[in-house]
Amino acid sequence: LLSWVFLGESLSSARAYAILASFGGVALIARPTWEAFESGNLLGAGLALLAGCLSGAAYCCVRCLGRSGEAEFWSLLALPLVSLPCCARKAWAGWSVREPQVIFGFFMLGVCTQMGQIFLARGLTLLPAACGTQIMYFGTLSGVALGTLLGDGLPSLQACAGGLAIVIS
């Protein structure tokens, strides 16, 4: 939606409905509860919604930079250029107490994140942002699948319905 507003990319009604269906699928997987709304404890949901909006804005920035012919590596450097100064001091202070498997986990997180950013930057130079970011909903599905493989148990029927809504859209 942000690419339609800020970049002037076309957004067909079919794509808009598909985005809404995908969003509904993600909501089914996330399992929001009515009790959270009634209790006013919406901080988690609000932060997740803010993260989604900021991710959408970042995708628009990647798309805009790609359209302007800017070198891909600048898009890839943007995250570490901002995150390292903000968190390096605290991370370094606790480094010596980390177990080797935790350090390996951090390393793999960095590798997977960077690989995802490379493919995202390349994909968004070829696709409209609305299409490219809708495909990113498959990240939700892979999270459910990997969680199952790592011992979280089988997904609920509601999560399966959400996954089906994402795939169909």
Side-chain angles (χ1 to χ4, degrees):
L1 298 175
L2 292 174
S3 66
W4 174 63
V5 173
F6 294 112
L7 300 178
E9 294 184 352
S10 64
L11 180 65
S12 67
S13 59
R15 175 68 60 199
Y17 289 129
I19 290 170
L20 289 174
S22 295
F23 185 72
V26 171
L28 284 172
I29 291 171
R31 294 180 304 212
T33 63
W34 187 252
E35 292 80 23
F37 289 107
E38 288 179 341
S39 70
N41 188 7
L42 298 175
L43 180 61
L47 290 175
L49 184 60
L50 178 62
C53 292
L54 291 173
S55 292
Y59 298 151
C60 284
C61 291
V62 169
R63 177 75 176 146
C64 185
L65 289 169
R67 286 168 61 184
S68 71
E70 193 59 56
E72 178 183 272
F73 72 90
W74 286 113
S75 295
L76 300 175
L77 279 174
L79 180 63
L81 283 175
V82 172
S83 63
L84 281 174
C86 293
C87 62
R89 189 182 61 133
K90 285 191 176 188
W92 190 259
W95 189 256
S96 63
V97 297
R98 302 283 183 239
E99 298 288 327
Q101 65 267 25
V102 173
I103 293 171
F104 179 73
F106 285 142
F107 174 75
M108 290 307 299
L109 172 65
V111 168
C112 292
T113 302
Q114 195 63 25
M115 288 174 55
Q117 291 302 311
I118 289 169
F119 293 127
L120 175 66
R122 289 185 181 170
L124 287 178
T125 60
L126 304 171
L127 293 171
C131 180
T133 55
Q134 186 181 4
I135 293 169
M136 295 295 290
Y137 286 125
F138 278 105
T140 304
L141 295 179
S142 64
V144 171
L146 288 172
T148 301
L149 291 174
L150 294 172
D152 285 347
L154 293 174
S156 67
L157 186 60
Q158 184 175 344
C160 291
L164 185 63
I166 292 170
V167 170
I168 289 173
S169 67

